[in-house]
Amino acid sequence: AQSVTQPDIHITVSEGASLELRCNYSYGATPYLFWYVQSPGQGLQLLLKYFSGDTLVQGIKGFEAEFKRSQSSFNLRKPSVHWSDAAEYFCAVKAAGNKLTFGGGTRVLVKP
Amino acid sequence: DAGVTQSPTHLIKTRGQQVTLRCSPKSGHDTVSWYQQALGQGPQFIFQYYEEEERQRGNFPDRFSGHQFPNYSSELNVNALLLGDSALYLCASSFWITDSGEQYFGPGTRLTVT
């Protein structure tokens, strides 16, 4: 069965510093992978997706993610964090059919 | 172009009661999925509707049921509410034919069971 692990529950980063969020997945076939962001009390907003092709994908809000098949990882990065990036981030994999399996999330706190 | 909308925003119910949550998909989308997000956790897939039929179901009891209407909107019904049903319920819409898993989420309905 498919699964997603986000090893870091909380990350604190200073404004202007770089950010990397880790995601490891388990899925037998070629995965379709997603990163979503959730602000407090809000729904999920799609940041970026990987289906195939170039392993470095660009998303909205200056985020990018790199797919590494050998490591079963899909880590999210941002070169310079803004205070508005404080939120919870979820990695997800598309399973059989059309459902998404999510990781437990990583909460990002931004220090001024 | 309206995105995914859900109603109500918040709901408070008592154990044993029944609740209905509603979702309108993003314009043009024909598939609706429902997810339950307990506090501090990632969303868990409940079920998915396409062409007014349940196409896929997660590991949720039969107390959770749904419906999709001809205009693609959807309802989630939960019977015999338990305290553990307290959560944020998220609706997501997508195109069935793309089969990519790319889904767009609504703001959610916060259900509190007392």
Side-chain angles (χ1 to χ4, degrees), chain A residues 32 34 36 38 42-44 46 49 51 90 94 96-100 102-104, chain B residues 35 37 41-43 45 48 56 88 90 94-95 99-103 105-107:
Chain A
Y32 290 1
F34 305 85
Y36 284 88
Q38 185 176 38
Q42 302 297 312
L44 302 175
L46 180 63
K49 61 199 177 198
F51 294 162
F90 292 95
K94 171 189 173 305
N98 225 1
K99 77 172 192 178
L100 295 177
F102 287 85
Chain B
Y35 292 80
Q37 186 179 19
Q41 298 183 22
F45 176 77
Q48 184 178 80
Q56 199 172 6
L88 181 68
L90 296 165
S94 57
F95 290 112
D99 194 34
S100 68
E102 182 173 351
Q103 299 178 13
F105 285 79

Side-chain angles (χ1 to χ4, degrees), chain A:
Chain A
Q2 68 287 336
S3 65
V4 176
T5 302
Q6 295 180 244
D8 304 305
I9 297 175
H10 292 100
I11 284 182
T12 300
V13 61
S14 297
E15 192 168 14
S18 64
L19 174 69
E20 180 166 10
L21 304 183
R22 295 184 291 163
C23 171
N24 294 100
Y25 68 90
S26 172
Y27 188 60
T30 300
Y32 290 1
L33 295 160
F34 305 85
W35 274 99
Y36 284 88
V37 61
Q38 185 176 38
S39 297
Q42 302 297 312
L44 302 175
Q45 182 182 21
L46 180 63
L47 283 176
L48 48 77
K49 61 199 177 198
Y50 171 79
F51 294 162
S52 65
D54 193 348
T55 57
L56 185 64
V57 293
Q58 302 297 320
I60 63 171
K61 303 186 178 188
F63 284 93
E64 66 178 26
E66 186 171 13
F67 170 63
K68 292 185 177 180
R69 184 186 299 277
S70 61
Q71 298 178 20
S72 297
S73 69
F74 187 55
N75 294 348
L76 181 71
R77 297 193 294 254
K78 185 168 184 177
S80 178
V81 169
H82 186 261
W83 63 266
S84 60
D85 294 322
E88 187 141 26
Y89 293 79
F90 292 95
C91 181
V93 63
K94 171 189 173 305
N98 225 1
K99 77 172 192 178
L100 295 177
T101 296
F102 287 85
T106 298
R107 181 167 298 280
V108 173
L109 304 175
V110 180
K111 293 191 302 183

Side-chain angles (χ1 to χ4, degrees), chain B residues 19-64:
Chain B
V19 68
T20 297
L21 311 182
R22 295 176 176 82
C23 171
S24 291
K26 182 178 168 65
S27 179
H29 284 180
D30 55 12
T31 302
V32 173
S33 304
W34 287 92
Y35 292 80
Q36 180 195 66
Q37 186 179 19
L39 200 61
Q41 298 183 22
Q44 299 288 318
F45 176 77
I46 302 175
F47 43 52
Q48 184 178 80
Y49 277 83
Y50 170 66
E51 289 190 327
E52 303 179 47
E53 292 187 12
E54 183 182 294
R55 299 293 178 157
Q56 199 172 6
R57 189 178 183 92
N59 188 25
F60 279 81
D62 292 345
R63 298 187 298 108
F64 289 77

